[in-house]
Amino acid sequence: MKKVVTFGEIIMRISPLGNKKLIQSNQLEYYFGGTEVNVAISLSQLGNEVNHVSAVSNDFLGKAATSYLNTYGVHTDFVQTSNNPLGLYFLEVGAVMRPSTIAYHRSHSAFSKINSSDLDWEQILEDCNWFHWTGITPALSEEAYKGLKNALSVAKKKNIPVSADPAYRKNLWNYGIDAKEALSELSELSTIFIGGPNEINELFGTEFGNDTDCFIKSCKYLQESFPDIEKVFDKTRVSLNANWHKIKSRMWDGTNFNETEELEITHIVDRIGTGDAFASGLIHGLLHYNDQKALQFANASCALKHTIEGDANLVNEEEILSVIEGNLTGRIKR
């Protein structure tokens, strides 16, 4: 069993039932998630030992959040409690040409007030096989940024592989630090980069296109700038409407380019967390398979998440391998 550590906010998702708008519904459902939480839950479902580091409110919502993670096998030994509230977001699920819409309520959340000096990363990362972070975490507060930077420094010292998903969310960076400088600094301390030309352009202000040739050029530019980045993995998506997407994935290992075949999702059950499913599938794949199979595993994991309600991907390894083997009919298994 491989040990993975994730670090990020546990956030509560609240939605009207089905595809209703909030104004027409008086019934709501909720899930707990968050980018890194989704990765943690999925990795646990795939048979890995996972410890999620975070902070939650010191009330029944915070207790429910950690219990939710525990239910799916994620350890919460290093989750702090705070008098600040748990972060929330509201989601209206779209359909056909109507897109889904999200409103966040996470300012001054428990996680944004996390105490970075109380995080003993030497202990947290003991016997760790992988550390994963995203650009959401350092965007939320200076303390979260400091905590992540400290974690990456310890991971580097311990030679722990680090996957970076440096998603840039402009509206989150409100505490004075330069977002792109911070994300560049943190990415430089990582070994696996999850992203493509769009993310690389955001970091460096470059203008690489999205075709294969530009993908390879952008990867080479990234690796020349950040020599510790060993491999780059990217997912591409074609959206025909809110319910019908096509996805495929590609990678560059410093020498070779590989890509998967396209998977078509003709009826999306839940779009949220599909990028996190790609990340968790990739991490599991790199821990257990060769690079090409890891890429296929990530792409199939992402595709299957579109069929799962809630933020996290709850499929198992057998289900993902079945898609890789070409079993796409969805016939009932008896």
Side-chain angles (χ1 to χ4, degrees), residues 24-44:
Q24 68 181 131
S25 177
N26 59 5
Q27 290 183 303
L28 301 171
E29 61 181 354
Y30 74 89
Y31 298 92
F32 292 104
T35 300
E36 300 82 5
V37 171
N38 300 338
V39 173
I41 290 175
S42 179
L43 283 168
S44 179

Side-chain angles (χ1 to χ4, degrees), residues 137-159:
T137 292
L140 295 176
S141 72
E142 188 169 3
E143 279 296 294
Y145 161 71
K146 288 178 180 178
L148 177 56
K149 185 178 177 180
N150 291 340
L152 295 178
S153 297
V154 173
K156 185 177 179 68
K157 183 176 69 174
K158 291 178 175 288
N159 293 315

